[in-house]
Amino acid sequence: MGYHFTLCYKPGNKNRVADALSRIHEDAELSSMLSYPQWFDGASLLQGYDSDTLIQKYIQDITVEPISHPGFTIVNGKLYHKNRLVIPSTSSWVPKLLEEFHTSPNGGHSGFYRTYRRLGAHIYWFGMVKTVKNICSSL
């Protein structure tokens, strides 16, 4: 490349423009940050749960025959699909979740697949694939 240079070590107190990584002590380590959703209003997330006929049918079926619906389980009286909480498809949270996971700056209008994967990692509702596809194609 035609460049000629020499590397010179400068101790931290003499190197006034050192970056943060060069100032880390040798015994220090970098740790990754973890993020996960926290449901502050969990009661409203499950609003309409007892009146949703499909969820109640699945709960009854699984109570009688646990393998009647593969991938579905009941934990503390709530229905889960592959360890994701099942919410009513008519929940007032569905549009809010779609807004957060697709339309917001965090969602970034990243298309159906990425939106579905991020949202589907935490929660599930019947007809979720169709709902997410419709939202992603309309915006």
Side-chain angles (χ1 to χ4, degrees):
M1 304 272 315
Y3 296 108
H4 298 285
F5 55 90
T6 305
L7 296 176
C8 297
Y9 171 76
K10 288 185 179 179
N13 59 356
K14 300 210 184 236
N15 189 359
R16 296 177 188 227
V17 293
D19 63 352
L21 292 177
S22 66
R23 296 198 181 270
I24 293 177
H25 300 291
E26 288 183 24
D27 59 343
E29 66 181 55
L30 294 175
S31 300
S32 63
M33 292 176 38
L34 300 174
S35 69
Y36 51 90
Q38 291 183 338
W39 303 110
F40 293 114
D41 197 10
S44 70
L45 183 67
L46 296 172
Q47 188 174 14
Y49 198 84
D50 295 330
S51 61
D52 189 294
T53 55
L54 190 55
I55 289 176
Q56 293 308 313
K57 179 189 180 314
Y58 270 59
I59 289 175
Q60 279 182 335
D61 292 349
I62 294 168
T63 303
V64 173
E65 182 62 42
I67 59 170
S68 61
H69 299 287
F72 287 90
T73 55
I74 300 172
V75 178
N76 296 329
K78 302 300 178 218
L79 186 64
Y80 284 79
H81 180 254
K82 297 180 182 176
N83 296 323
R84 301 174 295 170
L85 178 65
V86 177
I87 64 170
S89 57
T90 57
S91 171
S92 63
W93 274 91
V94 170
K96 294 174 191 175
L97 291 167
L98 289 168
E99 169 76 21
E100 180 63 31
F101 283 84
H102 178 69
T103 311
S104 73
N106 289 335
H109 290 278
S110 53
F112 162 73
Y113 183 72
R114 287 186 179 168
T115 301
Y116 177 75
R117 295 293 293 173
R118 280 195 308 257
L119 185 56
H122 309 290
I123 207 150
Y124 178 82
W125 65 84
F126 294 104
M128 183 176 172
V129 171
K130 184 178 179 182
T131 306
V132 174
K133 275 185 184 178
N134 289 342
I135 289 295
C136 291
S137 66
S138 68
L139 297 176

Short mmCIF file of all heavy atoms in Angstrom, two decimals, residues 11-36:
data_model
loop_
_atom_site.label_atom_id
_atom_site.label_comp_id
_atom_site.label_asym_id
_atom_site.label_seq_id
_atom_site.Cartn_x
_atom_site.Cartn_y
_atom_site.Cartn_z
N PRO A 11 2.45 3.99 27.50
CA PRO A 11 1.69 3.63 28.69
C PRO A 11 0.44 4.50 28.79
O PRO A 11 0.40 5.61 28.26
CB PRO A 11 2.64 3.90 29.85
CG PRO A 11 3.98 4.13 29.25
CD PRO A 11 3.79 4.44 27.80
N GLY A 12 -0.58 3.97 29.46
CA GLY A 12 -1.87 4.64 29.56
C GLY A 12 -1.81 6.08 30.01
O GLY A 12 -2.51 6.92 29.48
N ASN A 13 -0.96 6.39 30.99
CA ASN A 13 -0.92 7.77 31.50
C ASN A 13 -0.26 8.72 30.51
O ASN A 13 -0.45 9.92 30.59
CB ASN A 13 -0.24 7.83 32.86
CG ASN A 13 1.18 7.30 32.82
OD1 ASN A 13 1.64 6.81 31.80
ND2 ASN A 13 1.87 7.38 33.95
N LYS A 14 0.48 8.23 29.55
CA LYS A 14 1.10 9.10 28.54
C LYS A 14 0.31 9.13 27.23
O LYS A 14 0.52 9.98 26.40
CB LYS A 14 2.52 8.62 28.25
CG LYS A 14 3.40 8.64 29.46
CD LYS A 14 4.81 8.89 29.08
CE LYS A 14 5.63 8.79 30.34
NZ LYS A 14 6.39 9.93 30.60
N ASN A 15 -0.61 8.17 27.09
CA ASN A 15 -1.42 8.10 25.88
C ASN A 15 -2.77 8.74 26.16
O ASN A 15 -3.70 8.11 26.63
CB ASN A 15 -1.58 6.64 25.45
CG ASN A 15 -2.22 6.52 24.09
OD1 ASN A 15 -2.56 7.51 23.46
ND2 ASN A 15 -2.38 5.29 23.64
N ARG A 16 -2.89 10.00 25.85
CA ARG A 16 -4.09 10.76 26.20
C ARG A 16 -5.26 10.51 25.25
O ARG A 16 -6.37 10.88 25.54
CB ARG A 16 -3.77 12.24 26.25
CG ARG A 16 -2.79 12.52 27.34
CD ARG A 16 -2.40 13.95 27.37
NE ARG A 16 -1.31 14.04 28.34
CZ ARG A 16 -1.25 14.94 29.28
NH1 ARG A 16 -2.17 15.83 29.38
NH2 ARG A 16 -0.25 14.95 30.12
N VAL A 17 -5.05 9.88 24.12
CA VAL A 17 -6.14 9.64 23.18
C VAL A 17 -6.49 8.15 23.09
O VAL A 17 -7.11 7.71 22.15
CB VAL A 17 -5.79 10.17 21.77
CG1 VAL A 17 -5.70 11.68 21.77
CG2 VAL A 17 -4.52 9.53 21.26
N ALA A 18 -6.13 7.40 24.11
CA ALA A 18 -6.44 5.97 24.10
C ALA A 18 -7.94 5.75 24.18
O ALA A 18 -8.67 6.49 24.83
CB ALA A 18 -5.76 5.28 25.27
N ASP A 19 -8.41 4.71 23.52
CA ASP A 19 -9.84 4.42 23.57
C ASP A 19 -10.16 3.58 24.82
O ASP A 19 -9.27 3.15 25.54
CB ASP A 19 -10.30 3.71 22.31
CG ASP A 19 -9.65 2.37 22.12
OD1 ASP A 19 -8.72 2.03 22.87
OD2 ASP A 19 -10.09 1.63 21.21
N ALA A 20 -11.44 3.36 25.04
CA ALA A 20 -11.88 2.67 26.25
C ALA A 20 -11.37 1.23 26.32
O ALA A 20 -11.04 0.74 27.40
CB ALA A 20 -13.40 2.68 26.31
N LEU A 21 -11.30 0.53 25.20
CA LEU A 21 -10.87 -0.87 25.24
C LEU A 21 -9.40 -1.01 25.64
O LEU A 21 -9.02 -1.99 26.27
CB LEU A 21 -11.11 -1.54 23.88
CG LEU A 21 -12.57 -1.73 23.50
CD1 LEU A 21 -12.67 -2.33 22.11
CD2 LEU A 21 -13.27 -2.63 24.50
N SER A 22 -8.57 -0.03 25.27
CA SER A 22 -7.17 -0.13 25.65
C SER A 22 -6.95 0.18 27.12
O SER A 22 -5.90 -0.08 27.67
CB SER A 22 -6.31 0.80 24.79
OG SER A 22 -6.64 2.15 25.06
N ARG A 23 -7.96 0.71 27.79
CA ARG A 23 -7.84 1.04 29.21
C ARG A 23 -8.43 -0.04 30.11
O ARG A 23 -8.44 0.11 31.31
CB ARG A 23 -8.52 2.37 29.48
CG ARG A 23 -7.82 3.52 28.76
CD ARG A 23 -8.22 4.83 29.38
NE ARG A 23 -7.60 5.92 28.70
CZ ARG A 23 -6.41 6.43 29.03
NH1 ARG A 23 -5.75 5.94 30.03
NH2 ARG A 23 -5.92 7.44 28.37
N ILE A 24 -8.93 -1.12 29.56
CA ILE A 24 -9.49 -2.20 30.37
C ILE A 24 -8.34 -2.96 31.03
O ILE A 24 -7.35 -3.29 30.39
CB ILE A 24 -10.33 -3.16 29.50
CG1 ILE A 24 -11.57 -2.43 28.99
CG2 ILE A 24 -10.72 -4.40 30.28
CD1 ILE A 24 -12.42 -3.27 28.08
N HIS A 25 -8.50 -3.26 32.31
CA HIS A 25 -7.49 -4.03 33.00
C HIS A 25 -7.44 -5.43 32.44
O HIS A 25 -8.43 -5.96 31.93
CB HIS A 25 -7.81 -4.09 34.50
CG HIS A 25 -7.84 -2.73 35.14
ND1 HIS A 25 -6.72 -1.97 35.31
CD2 HIS A 25 -8.88 -2.00 35.61
CE1 HIS A 25 -7.06 -0.83 35.87
NE2 HIS A 25 -8.36 -0.81 36.07
N GLU A 26 -6.30 -6.07 32.52
CA GLU A 26 -6.14 -7.39 31.92
C GLU A 26 -7.08 -8.42 32.51
O GLU A 26 -7.49 -9.34 31.83
CB GLU A 26 -4.69 -7.86 32.08
CG GLU A 26 -3.73 -7.11 31.18
CD GLU A 26 -2.33 -7.64 31.29
OE1 GLU A 26 -2.18 -8.80 31.68
OE2 GLU A 26 -1.41 -6.90 30.98
N ASP A 27 -7.44 -8.30 33.78
CA ASP A 27 -8.32 -9.29 34.39
C ASP A 27 -9.80 -9.00 34.15
O ASP A 27 -10.66 -9.77 34.53
CB ASP A 27 -8.05 -9.41 35.89
CG ASP A 27 -8.25 -8.08 36.62
OD1 ASP A 27 -8.29 -7.04 35.95
OD2 ASP A 27 -8.36 -8.12 37.85
N ALA A 28 -10.10 -7.90 33.48
CA ALA A 28 -11.50 -7.57 33.19
C ALA A 28 -11.97 -8.35 31.97
O ALA A 28 -11.19 -8.80 31.16
CB ALA A 28 -11.62 -6.07 32.93
N GLU A 29 -13.25 -8.51 31.87
CA GLU A 29 -13.82 -9.19 30.71
C GLU A 29 -15.04 -8.43 30.22
O GLU A 29 -15.69 -7.73 30.98
CB GLU A 29 -14.19 -10.63 31.04
CG GLU A 29 -15.32 -10.76 32.05
CD GLU A 29 -15.66 -12.20 32.37
OE1 GLU A 29 -14.75 -12.94 32.76
OE2 GLU A 29 -16.83 -12.54 32.23
N LEU A 30 -15.33 -8.58 28.96
CA LEU A 30 -16.51 -7.95 28.40
C LEU A 30 -17.69 -8.90 28.59
O LEU A 30 -17.58 -10.09 28.33
CB LEU A 30 -16.31 -7.67 26.91
CG LEU A 30 -15.24 -6.64 26.58
CD1 LEU A 30 -15.06 -6.55 25.07
CD2 LEU A 30 -15.63 -5.29 27.14
N SER A 31 -18.77 -8.39 29.03
CA SER A 31 -19.97 -9.21 29.22
C SER A 31 -21.03 -8.73 28.23
O SER A 31 -21.12 -7.55 27.93
CB SER A 31 -20.51 -9.07 30.64
OG SER A 31 -19.54 -9.49 31.56
N SER A 32 -21.81 -9.66 27.74
CA SER A 32 -22.87 -9.28 26.82
C SER A 32 -24.11 -8.86 27.61
O SER A 32 -24.34 -9.32 28.72
CB SER A 32 -23.22 -10.43 25.88
OG SER A 32 -23.71 -11.52 26.64
N MET A 33 -24.87 -7.99 27.01
CA MET A 33 -26.11 -7.54 27.64
C MET A 33 -27.25 -8.42 27.14
O MET A 33 -27.29 -8.79 25.98
CB MET A 33 -26.38 -6.09 27.30
CG MET A 33 -25.39 -5.16 27.92
SD MET A 33 -25.58 -3.41 27.45
CE MET A 33 -27.29 -3.17 27.37
N LEU A 34 -28.15 -8.74 28.01
CA LEU A 34 -29.31 -9.53 27.65
C LEU A 34 -30.55 -8.66 27.75
O LEU A 34 -30.68 -7.87 28.67
CB LEU A 34 -29.46 -10.74 28.58
CG LEU A 34 -28.30 -11.73 28.61
CD1 LEU A 34 -28.55 -12.78 29.68
CD2 LEU A 34 -28.14 -12.38 27.26
N SER A 35 -31.44 -8.82 26.79
CA SER A 35 -32.71 -8.11 26.88
C SER A 35 -33.84 -9.10 26.70
O SER A 35 -33.70 -10.10 26.00
CB SER A 35 -32.79 -7.00 25.83
OG SER A 35 -32.88 -7.58 24.55
N TYR A 36 -34.93 -8.82 27.34
CA TYR A 36 -36.10 -9.67 27.22
C TYR A 36 -37.32 -8.83 27.57
O TYR A 36 -37.22 -7.84 28.28
CB TYR A 36 -36.01 -10.89 28.13
CG TYR A 36 -35.69 -10.55 29.56
CD1 TYR A 36 -36.70 -10.30 30.48
CD2 TYR A 36 -34.38 -10.46 29.99
CE1 TYR A 36 -36.40 -9.97 31.78
CE2 TYR A 36 -34.09 -10.14 31.31
CZ TYR A 36 -35.10 -9.89 32.20
OH TYR A 36 -34.81 -9.56 33.49
#
